[in-house]
């Protein structure tokens, strides 16, 4: 039998002794490794806490970087039952006295009574146009339809009624599904079912004209409301809102009154009863104060973390997990340096201290509210320049859009060699047509492409038009009413030049992709209106230089070239003449600089990640 136990014959437990000797030899190494592992794990947690605090601080910079934080306005109203108010960035601080004498109303028309909603009511087409109707209803009477003036800004539309939808409810659904700016509904007034048509938009210029072309089963003419027939009853007349602002009379097609007071929208709810409503407007300093306090709180929270990680208590001889760590020192010193940097080109309020934000003995920020209030009172716009990246143009018609991390601080001369234009197709009408202005079956239809999107066949109302302007309005409403163009968000403006006798169809978009192409025309269109199948004149992109370097233009947007000092600076050029447009002063605010620095520390392959990878 084999001997398997060491020490037999000597009386010694050699195996146990060897095991103990090996353990004793290994113990110091194991203890050291355990200690090192605990230290590394502590440092990993410490750097995780540091990253979290820095990330929270970076998040607090977002509001300070947004220009909307500084452009807000507060509006107050003395009687919220009469109107409400909202203020935009362009609103001027002040007070206004408002009296409301009438609210805007939408035009509403009702049919006669029907026995059931499934009653068959005829076939054909319902053509809707919007404009101002001069009409006197039978009550008080006498009834008179004196005329209709087309609203060229509203698209016309036609709804087909056939055997699939020729009932009362079929017409209702067809009109609503067409989404043409008309609401259709059915009510039971006790005597029967009546179909109601209402304009979606209020105002005298948005009343309805409904013309009917019958085909197949008769009866659809019961829904006509035009100069030819008033077979529908007017239940509500279209009406503008009437009000006074500081004694000045104002009318509005909508109960949301915009543009009367610059930057202020009034939403009318009821009329006043002899007591004016007082509206007050003030700058929204609360949004700025809130953003600044969040910034200070987040920074101080980060300082609490860094102080704890680098602390040493001589009484307990306990040290922070990152005491003496070079990475922590580098991060902290970089942030302090950036925090105390004076911002170039922004005037006297160029440091945190200049607006009442100072650093205490613990490295934390504190706010002197009185100093900040004084800055807000004396130079409200100084805060945006101190904190946010922005560009200020010296000329009108130039607006700052955005910048990038590569845009350098400085003044950039702006030279425009070509303004952006819109695609257009124009034609000179025939002399005979200008004298008669008759649209008939030989010149009433055409197709066109707007910005590359082709319309269905567009049909102009056959009529004798009073003048070229009236026909231009008809052309515009019919083109903009095309369902394909509407679906693509495309529209045109049509104008008539009485001096040259020419019509022009212009795309509403700017730039090289702005086009108006006539793809087919009716038999006599070329000899009457002057339009023939043609590509028209394409729009142009803006061209020019920013800081002396050629920039890239897309529509009215001009962006500084890659590699230039102004790289990433984007401007909207809406000026009416080319040439020198002064300069744009670009400043990079304190919050923007801090955000860039923190992005470098927290981004991919940054110094903190390198340290964490090493510790892992």
């Amino acid at each position: 039998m084999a001997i398997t136990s060491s020490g037999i014959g000597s009386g010694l437990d050699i195996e146990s002794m060897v095991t103990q000797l090996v353990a004793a030899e290994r113990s110091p190494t194991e203890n050291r490794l355990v200690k090192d592992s605990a230290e590394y794990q502590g440092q990993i947690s410490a750097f995780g806490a540091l990253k979290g605090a820095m990330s929270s601080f970076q998040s607090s910079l977002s509001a300070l970087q947004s220009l909307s934080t500084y452009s807000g306005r507060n509006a107050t109203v003395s009687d919220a039952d009469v109107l409400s108010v909202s203020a935009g960035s362009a609103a001027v601080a002040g007070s206004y006295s408002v009296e409301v004498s009438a609210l805007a109303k939408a035009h509403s028309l009702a049919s006669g009574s029907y026995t059931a909603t499934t009653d068959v009511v005829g076939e054909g087409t319902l053509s809707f146009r919007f404009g101002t109707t001069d009409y006197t209803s039978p009550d008080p009477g006498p009834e008179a339809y004196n005329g209709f003036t087309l609203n060229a800004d509203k698209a016309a539309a036609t709804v087909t009624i056939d055997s699939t939808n020729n009932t009362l409810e079929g017409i209702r659904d067809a009109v609503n599904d067409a989404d043409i700016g008309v609401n259709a509904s059915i009510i039971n007034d006790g005597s029967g079912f009546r179909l109601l048509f209402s304009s979606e938009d209020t105002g005298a210029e948005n009343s309805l004209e409904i013309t009917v072309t019958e085909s197949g089963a008769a009866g659809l003419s019961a829904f006509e409301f035009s100069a030819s027939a008033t077979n529908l009853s007017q239940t509500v007349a279209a009406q503008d809102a009437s009000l006074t602002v500081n004694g000045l009379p104002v009318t509005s097609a909508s109960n949301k009154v915009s543009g009367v007071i610059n930057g202020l929208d009034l939403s009318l709810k009821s009329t006043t009863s002899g007591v004016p409503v007082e509206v007050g407007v003030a700058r929204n300093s609360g949004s700025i104060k809130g953003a600044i306090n969040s910034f200070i709180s987040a920074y101080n929270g980060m300082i609490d973390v860094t102080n704890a990680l680098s602390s040493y208590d001589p009484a307990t001889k306990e040290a922070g997990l990152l005491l003496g760590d070079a990475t922590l020192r580098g991060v902290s010193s970089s942030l302090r340096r950036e925090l105390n940097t004076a911002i170039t080109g922004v005037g006297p309020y160029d440091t945190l201290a200049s607006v009442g934000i100072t650093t205490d003995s613990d490295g934390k920020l504190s706010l002197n509210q009185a100093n900040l209030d004084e800055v807000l009172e004396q130079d409200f716009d100084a805060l945006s320049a101190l904190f946010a990246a922005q560009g200020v143009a010296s000329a009108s018609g130039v607006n700052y859009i955005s910048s990038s991390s590569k845009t350098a601080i400085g003044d950039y001369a702006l030279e425009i060699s070509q303004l952006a234009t819109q695609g257009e197709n124009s034609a000179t009408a025939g002399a005979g047509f200008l004298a008669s202005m008759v649209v008939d079956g030989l010149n009433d239809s055409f197709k066109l492409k707007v910005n590359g999107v082709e319309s269905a066949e567009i049909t102009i109302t056959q009529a004798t038009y009073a003048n070229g302007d009236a026909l231009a309005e008809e052309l515009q409403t019919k083109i903009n009413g095309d369902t394909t163009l509407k679906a693509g968000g495309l529209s045109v403006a049509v104008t008539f030049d009485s001096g040259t006798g020419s019509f022009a169809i212009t795309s509403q978009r700017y730039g090289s992709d702005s086009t108006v192409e006539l793809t087919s025309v009716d038999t006599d269109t070329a000899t009457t209106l002057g339009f023939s199948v043609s590509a028209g004149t394409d729009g142009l992109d803006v061209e020019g230089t920013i800081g002396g370097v050629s920039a890239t233009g897309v529509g009215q947007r001009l962006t500084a070239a890659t590699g230039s000092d102004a790289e990433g600076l984007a401007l909207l050029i809406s000026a009416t003449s080319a040439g020198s447009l002064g300069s744009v002063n670009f400043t990079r605010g304190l919050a923007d600089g801090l955000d860039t620095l923190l992005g470098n520390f927290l981004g991919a392959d940054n110094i903190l990640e390198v340290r964490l990878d090493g510790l892992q």
Side-chain angles (χ1 to χ4, degrees):
M1 185 176 68
I3 299 174
T4 58
S5 178
S6 60
I8 293 178
S10 66
L12 297 175
D13 188 353
I14 301 301
E15 185 175 352
S16 176
M17 292 174 63
V18 170
T19 301
Q20 293 177 32
L21 287 170
V22 171
E25 182 71 22
R26 185 174 58 198
S27 182
T29 302
E30 284 185 339
N31 290 339
R32 186 178 71 251
L33 290 175
V34 170
K35 179 181 179 184
D36 289 346
S37 177
E39 289 179 354
Y40 290 147
Q41 190 61 52
Q43 290 181 28
I44 290 172
S45 298
F47 277 114
L50 176 60
K51 284 186 63 177
M54 291 171 64
S55 180
S56 295
F57 178 47
Q58 185 179 35
S59 297
S60 75
L61 301 172
S62 178
L64 288 175
Q65 289 178 279
S66 175
L67 294 178
S68 63
T69 299
Y70 310 92
S71 61
R73 301 291 186 269
N74 281 331
T76 58
V77 59
S78 63
D79 190 342
D81 291 333
V82 173
L83 60 90
S84 61
V85 61
S86 62
S89 60
V92 178
S95 59
Y96 308 90
S97 180
V98 179
E99 293 185 79
V100 182
S101 56
L103 295 178
K105 296 180 181 179
H107 198 205
S108 183
L109 303 168
S111 72
S113 294
Y114 290 84
T115 303
T117 61
T118 55
D119 284 356
V120 175
V121 295
E123 298 175 15
T125 58
L126 297 172
S127 296
F128 296 85
R129 296 199 304 171
F130 301 87
T132 303
T133 303
D134 183 359
Y135 174 73
T136 303
S137 65
D139 183 16
E143 183 181 23
Y145 194 110
N146 300 313
F148 176 81
T149 303
L150 182 67
N151 180 353
D153 294 329
K154 298 292 292 291
T158 297
V159 178
T160 299
I161 306 301
D162 55 27
S163 59
T164 66
N165 59 1
N166 61 352
T167 63
L168 209 62
E169 61 185 19
I171 294 177
R172 176 198 63 193
D173 295 342
V175 171
N176 288 334
D177 291 345
D179 191 22
I180 56 175
V182 179
N183 293 322
S185 58
I186 297 174
I187 66 165
N188 185 345
D189 65 354
S191 64
F193 295 93
R194 305 178 71 182
L195 182 61
L196 264 64
F197 296 116
S198 299
S199 173
E200 285 186 358
D201 295 326
T202 57
E205 289 188 345
N206 297 315
S207 65
L208 297 172
E209 178 200 63
I210 305 175
T211 57
V212 177
T213 302
E214 290 194 318
S215 62
L220 198 63
S221 60
F223 301 97
E224 176 135 359
F225 188 83
S226 67
S228 299
T230 54
N231 296 332
L232 295 173
S233 301
Q234 177 174 280
T235 55
V236 179
Q239 176 178 291
D240 287 340
S242 296
L243 63 154
T244 63
V245 178
N246 288 353
L248 298 175
V250 175
T251 59
S252 170
S254 170
N255 287 317
K256 184 174 182 179
V257 183
S258 303
V260 174
I261 304 172
N262 191 33
L264 211 61
D265 290 336
L266 305 177
S267 295
L268 308 182
K269 300 177 182 179
S270 67
T271 58
T272 51
S273 55
V275 180
V277 176
E278 301 301 323
V279 176
V281 180
R283 290 181 180 270
N284 185 8
S285 59
S287 63
I288 298 176
K289 291 178 181 179
I292 289 175
N293 283 320
S294 295
F295 158 75
I296 291 173
S297 178
Y299 180 78
N300 289 344
M302 185 183 67
I303 292 301
D304 284 336
V305 172
T306 59
N307 285 347
L309 294 176
S310 60
S311 65
Y312 178 74
D313 188 341
T316 62
K317 296 183 180 180
E318 290 185 357
L321 292 169
L322 297 180
L323 175 63
D325 185 87
T327 300
L328 177 59
R329 287 201 308 270
V331 168
S332 297
S333 62
S334 295
L335 288 171
R336 284 195 301 269
R337 185 166 53 251
E338 186 69 33
L339 204 66
N340 293 314
T341 298
I343 305 303
T344 304
V346 298
Y349 302 108
D350 58 354
T351 64
L352 288 179
S354 67
V355 297
I357 304 172
T358 55
T359 306
D360 63 20
S361 58
D362 292 327
K364 294 184 176 182
L365 298 177
S366 61
L367 173 63
N368 185 317
Q369 191 64 60
N371 285 1
L372 178 62
D373 288 342
E374 184 178 351
V375 174
L376 290 171
E377 181 68 28
Q378 294 180 355
D379 191 353
F380 191 91
D381 296 327
L383 273 300
S384 66
L386 173 61
F387 287 108
Q390 62 179 323
V392 178
S394 63
S396 59
V398 180
N399 293 98
Y400 169 78
I401 299 175
S402 61
S403 59
S404 74
S405 60
K406 296 183 178 180
T407 311
I409 296 169
D411 282 300
Y412 297 100
L414 183 60
E415 193 78 26
I416 301 300
S417 55
Q418 174 179 282
L419 293 172
T421 61
Q422 298 158 277
E424 181 181 278
N425 200 311
S426 60
T428 302
F433 175 76
L434 291 174
S436 64
M437 285 290 175
V438 174
V439 173
D440 55 28
L442 298 178
N443 63 351
D444 68 339
S445 63
F446 59 94
K447 288 184 179 180
L448 79 168
K449 285 183 179 180
V450 178
N451 304 343
V453 177
E454 187 165 23
S455 70
E457 184 171 79
I458 293 171
T459 303
I460 314 168
T461 302
Q462 295 182 20
T464 298
Y465 290 84
N467 49 49
D469 290 333
L471 180 53
E473 291 175 349
E474 170 71 7
L475 285 165
Q476 180 173 312
T477 59
K478 288 299 177 68
I479 294 172
N480 291 340
D482 178 78
T483 55
T484 304
L485 298 180
K486 284 176 65 177
L490 305 174
S491 62
V492 302
V494 182
T495 56
F496 176 72
D497 186 334
S498 59
T500 60
S502 60
F503 292 92
I505 306 172
T506 306
S507 168
Q508 296 287 32
R509 183 182 296 176
Y510 283 85
S512 55
D513 62 350
S514 174
T515 59
V516 179
E517 177 184 356
L518 270 295
T519 56
S520 71
V521 296
D522 210 348
T523 306
D524 289 347
T525 302
T527 56
T528 54
L529 278 77
F531 287 111
S532 58
V533 174
S534 58
T537 303
D538 294 352
L540 299 172
D541 294 315
V542 63
E543 293 181 358
T545 61
I546 299 176
V549 181
S550 293
T552 301
V554 177
Q556 293 180 301
R557 183 187 181 114
L558 190 67
T559 305
T562 300
S564 69
D565 289 344
E567 178 177 348
L569 180 62
L571 306 171
L572 180 69
I573 310 299
S574 57
T576 56
S577 59
S580 174
L581 293 182
S583 64
V584 176
N585 176 254
F586 177 75
T587 57
R588 189 171 294 285
L590 180 67
D592 183 83
L594 285 167
D595 185 54
T596 300
L597 180 61
L598 287 163
N600 292 334
F601 285 142
L602 297 171
D605 300 324
N606 60 79
I607 188 172
L608 296 179
E609 287 296 333
V610 171
R611 284 299 308 277
L612 283 168
D613 288 345
L615 291 168
Q616 291 285 1

